[in-house]
Amino acid sequence: MFPRLTIICLISGLIGIIQCNTIPHQLDIIIKSPSTSPQLIDDSDSKYKSGNNTDEAAARAFLKAQEIEAVKICRKSVQAEWNFASNLTEYNKQVLLETSRQSANFAKETWYNATSFAWKNFSDPLIRRWFKGLSVLGTGVLDGYKLNQLNEIIADMEDAYSNGKVCPYSAEPVTNKSLCNLNFDEDITEIMSKSRNYEELKSIWTQWRDVTGKKMRNNYLKYIELLNEAAKLNGFSDNGQLWRDGYESDSFEDDLEIIWNQFEPLYKLLHAFTRKKLIAIYGEDKIKPNGPIPAHILGNMWAQSWSSLGDLLTPFPNKPSVDITDNILAKNLSVVDMFRISERFFTSLGLKPMTDKFWKYSILERPSDGREMTCHASAWDFCDGDDVRIKMCTQRNMKEFIVIHHEMGHIQYYIQYKNQPYVFRGGANPGFHEAVGDTLALSVSTPTHLKTIGLLDEISADSEGDLNHLMSMALDKIAFLPVGYLMDRYRWKVFADNSTHSSLNRLWWEHRLRYQGICPPVRRTEQDFDAGSKYHIAANVPYIRYFVSYIIQFQFHKALCQAAGNTGPLYQCDIYQSREAGQLLSNVLSLGSSKHWSEALEIITGSKKMSALPLMEYFAPLIDWLKTQVNEDEIGWVSSDPMICP
Ligand code: X8Z
Ligand code: ZN
């Protein structure tokens, strides 16, 4: 139930749950299909424990005292997590494990006391919701030995991922091993996005999987076992069910399936167009015209964002670029300048500026002292209202400029709900937390906005310019959808079905083939564990939140654009300086998780339902254009073996 998100990207077991090929012409029909309505989980569900004590006054006194202690424990736990994640030493790991033990003890005590009350019969709905938030214990239910084992495995997997380094590509085997120190966030990302050398990309792609996921397979099996044990002790069938419970809806999985089916034809159009362009570069001996696309040539280690292929896929390459990277460099903008520009967008809406402590304590670039740290971008809430921080090894390019807005969206949420009771200091659901910064970034990415703030010199205000902009957005947003969907469908299955454990890697590639239409360039085996080469799997971060976010951020964008008086197409809308849009957003952010997410959604959009329609509306001109670029018989993929490209 609304697990607390003190550290976005790291709600690991360490803190504990308590607080811490369809054809294109079908598109028109699909767009009109009804959207989904969540079926709320009933509080009377036996997973939410309650007792006999009917004294509501005593219950309120308990909550008040618990709140004070919870905030103290939270600060201590987050500090220990931060120290470890920003400096991966054995000492910091041990301190973290000790803090986790204390936090688990407190969680148990809280749970024990909270569930002695007959809170389901209390008159005040807010108090009932508060107790509901305290009534599921989470991993704290494990005995001390097992909890420590679980926490250590998670810390070690995160460490192994963050320390992963590879050798530069050379046709001959690398003999000088001291060269094998390419970092993920700088060197590897750059090669994956810029190189068009099939063999070089293959080498880096394979090495990354060898030095990360492959090393975690045994640990991961133990991790599944322990998380499932904890989930069962909490009354859930398995850990996947426990994770889904955070969305407080019985129809959650079905609702997502309907939404995925709405998008799939659009994704397949983009896939077919991209495959055709890649065949033109790499040849039919490397990519079959009716096969999946090799996973390593899409510009990103997990093929989750294809925007680095912009130069190959731009519909009208002679028009001015929509990418600001050259300008960031030409204007010599520092990383801090990029953060300041992002902050200005938030404040232009009347939202809160970053705090003094934010600027004092955040780590915005890789420290130069040689320490190992987790560079995957994250936003942190130290539970006192104004100690909020970002940790990110920021690179100076457009992609990272957008990630800055993403992370600042998390910080904005923290600041907006800081006056809520501790138990409600979280997103309405985890997808809301992921959607805030991305929603603003939809405005920021419009060529008109980028010109207004001086980051694009020249723009093309015609339908060709619009299509270039839409393609650049689609390579990020549409390409991501199947990844956002499959990552947790995979894990839900692994948690639910022990028979998958002997074929973890096959199941992973079956999902990659089915949803993304991609294939591995090198034969995979059960010695590999390729899922573990993705940060969120190694670090125990649920992923369906991003799928939810990519849907609702377009719903938010549409609603905020209306509030801002925008009458043009959604893809041109920029809410910059609209106090009305800012106020509407703030109304929801300040609620935290004190209301069910469907009510929060209704406040912004007027509807309680997640819907794919605003996303479809946003991309409509691109969908029409893509239909003119690919024939029906060029859509979709077939492959008889998911473990190797055909
Ligand atoms: O992990 C993130 C953020 C931090 S919450 C940078 N994202 C996902 C990813 O990188 O895989 C944002 C988009 C999806
Ligand atoms: Zn995020």
Side-chain angles (χ1 to χ4, degrees):
M1 141 106 227
F2 39 90
R4 289 289 327 288
L5 297 181
T6 311
I7 309 157
I8 297 301
C9 274
L10 279 172
I11 63 146
S12 61
L14 295 175
I15 294 224
I17 197 169
I18 199 153
Q19 306 296 4
C20 298
N21 188 343
T22 345
I23 46 173
H25 65 254
Q26 286 182 339
L27 276 170
D28 308 321
I29 303 159
I30 289 164
I31 284 174
K32 295 191 194 86
S33 68
S35 51
T36 55
S37 173
Q39 285 163 21
L40 308 194
I41 293 181
D42 192 344
D43 285 8
S44 64
D45 192 310
S46 66
K47 291 191 287 288
Y48 309 127
K49 299 277 181 305
S50 66
N52 303 322
N53 187 346
T54 54
D55 185 345
E56 217 167 316
R60 282 174 193 269
F62 158 73
L63 292 178
K64 209 170 154 192
Q66 194 273 346
E67 172 86 5
I68 294 167
E69 235 11 70
V71 169
K72 281 191 205 151
I73 299 269
C74 175
R75 270 192 75 70
K76 208 173 160 189
S77 304
V78 176
Q79 187 67 55
E81 284 258 12
W82 171 272
N83 290 348
F84 178 61
S86 58
N87 191 5
L88 296 161
T89 63
E90 181 59 30
Y91 175 79
N92 287 341
K93 183 174 98 177
Q94 292 307 331
V95 174
L96 172 60
L97 292 175
E98 174 52 31
T99 317
S100 306
R101 277 192 281 276
Q102 292 168 11
S103 173
N105 287 340
F106 176 70
K108 267 184 241 176
E109 191 186 304
T110 296
W111 178 85
Y112 183 77
N113 290 326
T115 56
S116 69
F117 289 100
W119 58 267
K120 292 181 186 175
N121 301 325
F122 288 171
S123 54
D124 183 339
L126 192 80
I127 298 289
R128 286 203 303 276
R129 189 164 174 79
W130 193 327
F131 271 99
K132 190 179 173 190
L134 300 178
S135 71
V136 177
L137 175 52
T139 53
V141 76
L142 293 172
D143 70 39
Y145 176 79
K146 286 183 174 168
L147 184 61
N148 200 56
Q149 196 182 15
L150 173 64
N151 286 337
E152 186 151 26
I153 286 175
I154 295 170
D156 287 346
M157 291 195 300
E158 179 174 344
D159 191 359
Y161 179 93
S162 301
N163 273 321
K165 303 226 179 2
V166 308
C167 313
Y169 170 68
S170 81
E172 306 300 320
V174 178
T175 46
N176 182 355
K177 292 287 173 200
S178 70
L179 296 173
C180 298
N181 64 351
L182 300 187
N183 266 325
F184 189 82
D185 288 77
E186 292 87 359
D187 320 311
I188 298 179
T189 307
E190 170 105 353
I191 297 169
M192 292 307 295
S193 63
K194 297 224 171 103
S195 171
R196 300 283 181 261
N197 178 334
Y198 195 90
E199 293 304 322
E200 177 180 26
L201 289 166
K202 190 161 90 179
S203 158
I204 302 291
W205 186 95
T206 313
Q207 288 188 66
W208 178 249
R209 281 153 182 79
D210 288 347
V211 298
T212 56
K214 194 170 187 167
K215 298 208 162 117
M216 291 168 203
R217 190 172 169 128
N218 290 337
N219 260 346
Y220 203 78
L221 287 169
K222 190 71 196 168
Y223 155 94
I224 299 166
E225 182 190 316
L226 290 167
L227 278 185
N228 272 344
E229 184 175 333
K232 286 186 180 125
L233 290 168
N234 279 284
F236 296 87
S237 58
D238 63 79
N239 188 61
Q241 195 194 32
L242 188 147
W243 279 3
R244 292 190 297 275
D245 194 57
Y247 293 85
E248 300 181 86
S249 161
D250 277 335
S251 57
F252 185 56
E253 272 181 276
D254 295 342
D255 295 347
L256 295 184
E257 181 76 20
I258 292 172
I259 286 174
W260 167 250
N261 288 333
Q262 290 179 318
F263 289 140
E264 202 182 13
L266 170 52
Y267 175 70
K268 285 186 166 172
L269 264 178
L270 185 65
H271 178 279
F273 176 73
T274 303
R275 180 176 51 196
K276 213 151 101 159
K277 296 282 178 186
L278 287 170
I279 290 174
I281 304 258
Y282 294 106
E284 281 194 17
D285 58 322
K286 302 261 186 340
I287 311 165
K288 298 281 160 288
N290 66 346
I293 303 177
H296 63 305
I297 54 170
L298 283 155
N300 171 277
M301 185 56 87
W302 311 278
Q304 68 178 66
S305 164
W306 304 350
S307 49
S308 312
L309 302 184
D311 54 336
L312 305 177
L313 302 175
T314 302
F316 301 97
N318 298 328
K319 292 279 171 169
S321 168
V322 295
D323 192 310
I324 62 169
T325 302
D326 290 348
N327 255 342
I328 291 176
L329 300 175
K331 288 181 191 297
N332 213 5
L333 294 183
S334 68
V335 162
V336 172
D337 293 337
M338 292 163 69
F339 276 82
R340 287 285 183 195
I341 296 171
S342 173
E343 183 189 34
R344 270 205 294 280
F345 194 93
F346 284 84
T347 53
S348 87
L349 303 176
L351 296 171
K352 310 275 189 207
M354 299 295 108
T355 64
D356 291 344
K357 285 187 186 162
F358 173 88
W359 294 110
K360 192 163 172 201
Y361 296 123
S362 288
I363 300 180
L364 306 180
E365 290 179 81
R366 184 189 280 279
S368 51
D369 56 11
R371 69 173 107 148
E372 296 294 349
M373 76 169 214
T374 301
C375 267
H376 189 92
S378 52
W380 300 61
D381 182 356
F382 284 69
C383 334
D384 77 344
D386 66 345
D387 192 350
V388 285
R389 310 180 192 175
I390 286 175
K391 184 171 62 55
M392 179 170 168
C393 302
T394 318
Q395 303 297 299
R396 295 189 304 141
N397 60 44
M398 179 158 181
K399 264 185 112 51
E400 295 272 282
F401 184 60
I402 300 301
V403 177
I404 290 173
H405 290 76
H406 175 96
E407 297 303 333
M408 276 201 177
H410 288 309
I411 302 284
Q412 187 64 220
Y413 220 151
Y414 297 149
I415 301 176
Q416 293 275 344
Y417 59 53
K418 68 178 190 181
N419 294 324
Q420 286 288 342
Y422 179 67
V423 75
F424 298 138
R425 290 188 215 155
N429 72 34
F432 275 61
H433 229 297
E434 299 304 333
V436 176
D438 283 17
T439 303
L440 271 49
L442 290 174
S443 287
V444 173
S445 315
T446 56
T448 327
H449 180 81
L450 293 170
K451 178 142 198 284
T452 308
I453 61 168
L455 293 178
L456 279 183
D457 303 326
E458 215 196 329
I459 61 171
S460 162
D462 57 16
S463 62
E464 296 188 348
D466 287 345
L467 285 165
N468 283 353
H469 167 51
L470 282 170
M471 179 61 87
S472 136
M473 297 303 288
L475 295 177
D476 229 23
K477 303 290 179 187
I478 308 296
F480 179 78
L481 289 168
V483 184
Y485 193 45
L486 75 83
M487 202 88 78
D488 276 0
R489 282 191 67 93
Y490 169 76
R491 280 189 287 188
W492 295 341
K493 200 159 173 50
V494 166
F495 285 128
D497 182 357
N498 286 345
S499 75
T500 60
H501 298 180
S502 55
S503 51
L504 280 181
N505 214 31
R506 171 165 293 276
L507 185 69
W508 173 250
W509 284 104
E510 282 168 1
H511 278 69
R512 299 271 266 172
L513 177 65
R514 168 164 173 203
Y515 293 104
Q516 273 188 286
I518 63 168
C519 57
V522 174
R523 176 163 285 288
R524 311 318 284 158
T525 72
E526 291 304 331
Q527 301 303 307
D528 305 304
F529 176 50
D530 294 325
S533 304
K534 173 69 189 160
Y535 173 74
H536 303 70
I537 294 194
N540 182 37
V541 184
Y543 210 80
I544 202 67
R545 61 187 56 182
Y546 301 107
F547 184 72
V548 170
S549 160
Y550 277 54
I551 301 159
I552 62 176
Q553 62 187 248
F554 287 89
Q555 291 181 265
F556 290 179
H557 181 61
K558 182 171 174 152
L560 298 184
C561 289
Q562 262 157 11
N566 175 77
T567 49
L570 273 186
Y571 59 85
Q572 281 173 358
C573 165
D574 170 18
I575 62 170
Y576 190 46
Q577 293 177 328
S578 166
R579 299 279 158 156
E580 293 78 10
Q583 188 58 51
L584 184 56
L585 187 59
S586 164
N587 291 344
V588 165
L589 301 188
S590 58
L591 290 172
S593 62
S594 62
K595 286 192 187 312
H596 190 279
W597 62 263
S598 61
E599 288 179 57
L601 191 59
E602 188 177 26
I603 294 173
I604 303 193
T605 68
S607 164
K608 285 182 178 331
K609 304 164 183 173
M610 277 192 287
S611 163
L613 298 188
L615 187 150
M616 294 295 202
E617 180 185 332
Y618 182 100
F619 285 108
L622 183 74
I623 301 173
D624 290 341
W625 183 80
L626 283 170
K627 285 186 204 167
T628 66
Q629 302 297 305
V630 289
N631 301 322
E632 272 177 34
D633 61 357
E634 294 176 304
I635 293 174
W637 51 86
V638 286
S639 170
S640 54
D641 183 355
M643 302 293 260
I644 183 74
C645 284

